[in-house]
Amino acid sequence: MIDMLDMTDQQLNRALGEFMGYRLKTLEFDDIYYSVVNPHGLPGPYRYTADEAFLCTVPEYCADPAASLEVQAAAIKANDRQYAINLAKRLEWDGDDLEYSDNDVFSYTGVTVFMLSSPRQRAEAAYMTLSSKDLHPLREDI
């Protein structure tokens, strides 16, 4: 498995797309081509190679702020605490700016730093959360 930090935007977008419910559908013509079916069951462009199909269909989670918020929402729904920890790691906090109250709530400074994170940072934290063995205990490739 490729280390997330070594993934290109396209590779990370494809991996996140799979977590978000995008699936390849094989279409057979003279050769084998693919279409990507989105989470709503709607087919995407077809007659592409597998990589091309994902590039044409899956949102750009690493570049598009709206798409990165969509995958962030999925990660928060899956495990909100772990997503916050993963995003803090991606933002490389040294621990001094991250303050907790008795209720385990981030400080205003911490919340502001989260809001200023880039789409790529949100996508990486979402990938770390959604690929967790805690969420997928039967997966051995993680």
Side-chain angles (χ1 to χ4, degrees), residues 2-3 10-11 21 36 51-52 71-72 118 127-128 136 141:
I2 299 175
D3 185 309
Q10 291 83 5
Q11 289 170 322
V36 174
D51 289 335
E52 290 171 337
V71 78
Q72 173 182 266
S118 71
Y127 177 83
M128 293 166 67
H136 308 284
D141 62 333

Side-chain angles (χ1 to χ4, degrees), residues 52-68:
E52 290 171 337
F54 270 97
L55 288 176
C56 294
T57 310
V58 174
E60 294 187 33
Y61 299 112
C62 296
D64 178 8
S68 71

Side-chain angles (χ1 to χ4, degrees), residues 96-115:
D96 292 338
D97 2 352
L98 187 60
E99 301 170 18
Y100 291 100
S101 72
D102 292 337
N103 296 327
D104 201 25
V105 176
F106 288 107
S107 67
Y108 289 115
T109 304
V111 172
T112 302
V113 171
F114 270 29
M115 289 182 202

Side-chain angles (χ1 to χ4, degrees), residues 2 9 29 31-32 35 40-41 43-44 47 49 59-60 72 78 81 88-89 95 120 126 132 140:
I2 299 175
D9 284 357
F29 294 99
D31 292 316
I32 295 178
S35 177
H40 307 291
R47 292 187 66 86
T49 65
E60 294 187 33
Q72 173 182 266
R81 181 175 172 77
K89 287 178 187 175
R120 174 73 191 209
S132 169
E140 295 184 12

Side-chain angles (χ1 to χ4, degrees), residues 11-139:
Q11 289 170 322
L12 186 54
N13 288 337
R14 179 178 178 169
L16 288 168
E18 290 173 355
F19 287 129
M20 296 295 288
Y22 288 83
R23 296 288 178 254
L24 274 179
K25 179 179 180 183
T26 304
L27 303 170
E28 293 186 35
F29 294 99
D30 296 334
D31 292 316
I32 295 178
Y33 292 95
Y34 298 91
S35 177
V36 174
V37 177
N38 72 23
H40 307 291
L42 303 172
Y46 60 92
R47 292 187 66 86
Y48 290 105
T49 65
D51 289 335
E52 290 171 337
F54 270 97
L55 288 176
C56 294
T57 310
V58 174
E60 294 187 33
Y61 299 112
C62 296
D64 178 8
S68 71
L69 291 174
E70 178 185 334
V71 78
Q72 173 182 266
I76 289 171
K77 184 177 180 182
N79 188 334
D80 57 349
R81 181 175 172 77
Q82 191 59 51
Y83 176 77
I85 291 168
N86 290 335
L87 185 55
K89 287 178 187 175
R90 294 306 316 126
L91 296 172
E92 298 178 359
W93 282 348
D94 61 8
D96 292 338
D97 2 352
L98 187 60
E99 301 170 18
Y100 291 100
S101 72
D102 292 337
N103 296 327
D104 201 25
V105 176
F106 288 107
S107 67
Y108 289 115
T109 304
V111 172
T112 302
V113 171
F114 270 29
M115 289 182 202
L116 296 174
S117 61
S118 71
R120 174 73 191 209
Q121 290 168 323
R122 286 191 293 269
E124 289 173 349
Y127 177 83
M128 293 166 67
T129 304
L130 295 172
S131 65
S132 169
K133 282 189 176 186
D134 294 338
L135 295 176
H136 308 284
L138 300 179
R139 288 189 62 183

